Amino acid sequence: MYKIKYILAPLLILAMLSVNAQKTTHTFKLADSVFLLDDKPFQMISGEMHYTRIPREAWRARMKMAKAMGLNTIGTYVFWNIQEPQKGKFDFSGNADVAEFVKIAQEEGLWVILRPSPYVCAEWEFGGYPYWVQNEKGLIVRSKESHYLKEYEAYIKEIGKRLAPLQVNHGGNILMVQIENEYGSYGADKEYLAINQKMFKEAGFDGLLYTCDPAADLAKGYLPGLLPAVNGIDNPAKVKDIIRKHHDGKGPFYIAEWYPAWFDWWGTQHHTVPAAQYTGRLDSVLRAGISINMYMFHGGTTRGFMNGANFKDNTPYEPQISSYDYDAPLDEAGNATAKFFAFRDVIKKHLPAGQALPDVPAKKTAITVPNIKLTSSWPILTNLPAPKNSLKPLTFEDLHQPYGFVLYRTKVQGGKTGTLRLNGLRDFAIVMVNGSRAGTLDRRLNQDSLTVSLPKGQVTLDILVENLGRINFGKYLLQNKKGLTGKVLFAGSELQHWSMYGLPFDNINTLKYSTASNKTNQPVVLKGHFDLNKVGDTYLDMQDWGKGVIWVNGHNLGRYWRVGPQQTVYVPVEWLKKKGNEIVVLELLQPHKTISAIDKPILDKLNN
């Protein structure tokens, strides 16, 4: 027993010292021109990456890449619709464990800039708002409306319980916390911003708070007394001038979003910008002592149904693709790009004396997987769930369904040809007559009607509607209901008496498959299995397919669509195994019996 005590005592002392070391608090303050970390000048060289867009198993690896490029800080949003998917039901498990993401960053020697406001934009579904806020009567987002503030307060307090203790003044690594997000591009109510500040403080965020806005909107979006960070410009003189103008003639100076490239949406060219166009600008910003956050350092993937969409007056609806590669320094799989090495060379020039960067981790292995057989299927018009019935079509929100698909069914007396018009289609529809596809309608193309010929007798009319992503930016945030949101007319007459079948595809394990051959042209779910000699990142090649969603080993990897520019779906190595991998494909238009994976992405191919 004495020997055991002598052995355990030093171990206990070491453990206590380790805990105390982790609880060491720091100070982070504003000086007239610089940030002060423990009263010493500190320049943030930060890069944005989002815990939700990276497999949890890869968080640490991505952070090591950040350190290797020379970053000392990472920025992340917190996504309300991930943390509270249904009202009052919070989730901080798995990939939603944002506190663990922050803690891993601390273990890897990285500071964090936290952006937990309910609105994030971020090319994310509904700008981060949960779908259910649209069901709250009278609720107006980004306003002083009481119902909104009540839900906002409940959310931010829940976030505060987990993340406020991780601020630098409490022994953590969160340097600053952002209230709201580019509010000046939406409104100009300083009272509303002050309410934000008050709620954040009451939630425990008692360190440095700041706002960020594009330069043109900063006057409307900053709150006097808080640091006004600027987005989208990198001329050092202009950055300093605009921040001084709105901060009592002082700094410090922070570019909260510096864009090394841009995101993509379906049907448009893949965005890329050569590193050479940015290296000189990055060098001048760092030389001027300005802190910076690259948006994005690593984009990753917007998996599941979490992509957002843009929509403005006199412009088309623009749903974003699943790949969030962003032409960033780290590609979608987390590998260093030419931009990574170019930026690393710039950052090296500005390191404190005696400091060196760690070696860049080796490029990850990528594999090919030929000829995966899809051996069973589930045509979606079979084995449907129980319907909800209504005189008029119900929206996704009416059905309390956040994402995915809804099948709308009614009976029509046939024997005639006419125009079928879907008023307020949100967003993509497949029209079927007696189980056979009659056509598709696409909100992106302002399509809401097609000519349909009905056979004689009573006809079953099915309309499968896909939510392609709620608007994430601009004045239409509260015009985001999905499904059939208006009247459905055929030959000028309104169709009524609808049955609605919810198909959220949030649990594919409940689907009932058959090995029978599927020869219909209706949407179908296909399933197969495959083994691997070795695991590695891979990219499912969807160039010959039509439109749909893919799962591998239960993980929803996102959408594909032949229109492009994205033609592959990224499969992370972390979610593969050597034996017994399962693949599930929901194909809406053009199913095949086999599928293959290649060792590189195709993100730049458009089709008519």
Side-chain angles (χ1 to χ4, degrees):
M1 287 295 293
Y2 287 111
K3 287 182 180 179
I4 293 173
K5 286 181 180 179
Y6 282 122
I7 293 169
L8 288 178
L11 294 176
L12 289 170
I13 291 169
L14 285 172
M16 291 171 66
L17 289 172
S18 175
V19 169
N20 288 334
Q22 290 175 13
K23 290 184 178 179
T24 300
T25 59
H26 298 271
T27 61
F28 191 67
K29 297 182 290 190
L30 309 180
D32 288 354
S33 61
V34 295
F35 293 101
L36 294 176
L37 178 60
D38 296 333
D39 295 320
K40 296 178 181 178
F42 180 75
Q43 183 177 26
M44 286 181 287
I45 306 177
S46 176
E48 187 95 0
M49 56 183 188
H50 301 144
Y51 59 103
T52 51
R53 286 175 158 137
I54 306 165
R56 179 182 175 132
E57 301 87 338
W59 286 347
R60 191 179 299 274
R62 301 299 190 271
M63 292 174 188
K64 289 183 184 298
M65 294 297 289
K67 289 279 287 187
M69 198 179 82
L71 303 184
N72 55 30
T73 308
I74 59 171
T76 186
Y77 285 120
V78 182
F79 300 85
W80 188 0
N81 57 7
I82 294 297
Q83 312 300 167
E84 192 182 5
Q86 297 288 347
K87 183 177 178 179
K89 296 180 180 179
F90 287 90
D91 181 12
F92 292 91
S93 64
N95 247 82
D97 191 352
V98 60
E100 182 64 16
F101 182 79
V102 172
K103 291 172 185 175
I104 292 173
Q106 185 172 27
E107 292 168 6
E108 292 300 321
L110 288 162
W111 303 102
V112 168
I113 298 296
L114 191 71
R115 313 173 74 187
S117 286
Y119 172 71
V120 300
C121 187
E123 292 70 62
W124 195 261
E125 223 276 344
F126 201 2
Y129 285 115
Y131 88 98
W132 54 261
V133 302
Q134 295 183 105
N135 285 343
E136 301 296 308
K137 189 174 181 180
L139 188 149
I140 304 172
V141 299
R142 309 188 84 179
S143 79
K144 293 180 293 189
E145 187 274 320
S146 59
H147 201 163
Y148 170 64
L149 293 179
K150 178 183 175 183
E151 300 299 345
Y152 181 169
E153 183 177 29
Y155 157 76
I156 204 64
K157 283 185 175 178
E158 198 68 31
I159 297 301
K161 288 177 188 176
R162 289 162 173 81
L163 293 175
L166 304 182
Q167 297 170 104
V168 292
N169 51 324
H170 296 281
N173 58 327
I174 297 173
L175 296 178
M176 292 199 304
V177 178
Q178 178 187 299
I179 69 165
E180 248 290 349
N181 184 52
E182 297 189 321
Y183 176 68
S185 301
Y186 187 85
D189 188 338
K190 303 295 183 183
E191 269 188 32
Y192 165 67
L193 287 173
I195 292 170
N196 277 255
Q197 180 186 26
K198 180 174 181 289
M199 286 200 293
F200 270 60
K201 287 183 174 180
E202 290 175 350
F205 292 112
D206 55 359
L208 276 180
L209 303 179
Y210 75 102
T211 61
C212 83
D213 293 278
D217 300 321
L218 192 144
K220 294 185 293 181
Y222 86 102
L223 182 64
L226 298 188
L227 177 69
V230 65
N231 294 351
I233 62 172
D234 55 16
N235 178 293
K238 289 182 179 178
V239 169
K240 291 183 176 182
D241 180 65
I242 192 168
I243 290 176
R244 285 189 182 116
K245 183 178 179 181
H246 298 94
H247 198 230
D248 298 326
K250 301 175 183 177
F253 310 105
Y254 180 42
I255 303 170
E257 292 187 12
W258 182 73
Y259 308 111
W262 207 239
F263 60 91
D264 295 330
W265 52 96
W266 293 111
T268 59
Q269 198 67 43
H270 177 48
H271 293 83
T272 61
V273 185
Q277 292 191 24
Y278 287 101
T279 50
R281 291 149 64 178
L282 177 61
D283 185 52
S284 66
V285 164
L286 297 183
R287 196 180 330 112
I290 295 171
S291 290
I292 192 168
N293 180 52
M294 301 174 189
Y295 191 102
M296 300 290 295
F297 162 67
H298 171 51
T301 310
T302 310
R303 295 184 177 86
F305 303 112
M306 285 295 112
N307 67 279
N310 281 329
F311 179 70
K312 301 175 184 176
D313 292 323
N314 304 315
T315 62
Y317 167 74
E318 297 171 341
Q320 290 115 21
I321 68 173
S322 291
S323 170
Y324 204 58
D325 178 88
Y326 219 93
D327 192 34
L330 280 195
D331 67 14
E332 185 175 7
N335 290 309
T337 66
K339 195 170 284 182
F340 176 100
F341 289 104
F343 289 177
R344 173 181 158 95
D345 287 342
V346 173
I347 293 169
K348 271 180 171 177
K349 295 161 55 178
H350 300 278
L351 293 176
Q355 184 175 324
L357 296 183
D359 292 337
V360 179
K363 185 176 181 180
K364 299 164 68 188
T365 299
I367 61 173
T368 61
V369 190
N371 203 32
I372 302 168
K373 291 182 172 59
L374 303 171
T375 55
S376 56
S377 64
W378 174 64
I380 69 163
L381 297 188
T382 63
N383 294 309
L384 288 167
K388 293 186 179 179
N389 301 309
S390 173
L391 184 67
K392 298 179 183 295
L394 299 176
T395 65
F396 278 53
E397 290 73 19
D398 295 332
L399 298 167
H400 300 280
Q401 180 177 319
Y403 317 111
F405 301 75
V406 170
L407 180 73
Y408 295 82
R409 173 174 288 177
T410 190
K411 302 290 186 180
V412 185
Q413 194 59 39
K416 58 184 175 181
T417 297
T419 297
L420 178 70
R421 183 179 300 278
L422 313 182
N423 290 316
L425 169 63
R426 309 263 180 88
D427 301 297
F428 184 86
I430 298 175
V431 177
M432 291 168 279
V433 174
N434 288 340
S436 183
R437 187 170 73 234
T440 62
L441 295 171
D442 185 348
R443 181 185 177 190
R444 296 178 312 121
L445 306 177
N446 293 317
Q447 296 172 344
D448 65 358
S449 58
L450 74 162
T451 301
V452 177
S453 294
L454 302 182
K456 291 182 179 179
Q458 191 177 63
V459 171
T460 298
L461 177 68
D462 287 317
I463 305 172
L464 180 68
V465 178
E466 179 181 7
N467 165 7
L468 278 176
R470 291 181 178 86
I471 296 162
N472 61 259
F473 180 82
K475 64 181 182 180
Y476 293 106
L477 284 175
L478 277 178
Q479 296 180 32
N480 252 332
K481 292 193 173 182
K482 293 298 183 178
L484 297 180
T485 66
K487 294 180 179 180
V488 178
L489 306 174
F490 178 67
S493 297
E494 182 180 1
L495 300 182
Q496 297 184 332
H497 302 290
W498 292 90
S499 296
M500 274 116 329
Y501 302 84
L503 298 168
F505 289 102
D506 53 359
N507 183 3
I508 59 171
N509 295 324
T510 62
L511 304 183
K512 298 177 181 179
Y513 296 93
S514 168
T515 56
S517 176
N518 170 43
K519 295 183 179 179
T520 69
N521 66 351
Q522 64 181 252
V524 62
V525 181
L526 303 160
K527 183 169 75 169
H529 295 85
F530 62 97
D531 296 332
L532 297 170
N533 294 324
K534 64 176 181 179
V535 295
D537 286 329
T538 194
Y539 303 85
L540 293 162
D541 185 356
M542 309 309 295
Q543 293 180 87
D544 295 330
W545 293 67
K547 186 180 194 307
V549 183
I550 298 183
W551 294 257
V552 169
N553 293 332
H555 297 279
N556 187 328
L557 301 180
R559 310 178 204 255
Y560 64 91
W561 196 351
R562 193 174 184 275
V563 298
Q566 177 183 346
Q567 299 292 344
T568 53
V569 173
Y570 169 55
V571 187
V573 60
E574 293 83 5
W575 293 343
L576 289 172
K577 51 192 177 181
K578 282 192 173 182
K579 298 293 183 183
N581 294 284
E582 179 188 81
I583 183 168
V584 174
V585 184
L586 166 61
E587 170 57 50
L588 301 177
L589 304 171
Q590 192 174 336
H592 294 274
K593 294 182 179 180
T594 62
I595 189 170
S596 297
I598 56 180
D599 59 3
K600 61 179 71 68
I602 302 173
L603 300 175
D604 57 358
K605 181 181 176 183
L606 289 173
N607 293 307
N608 292 329

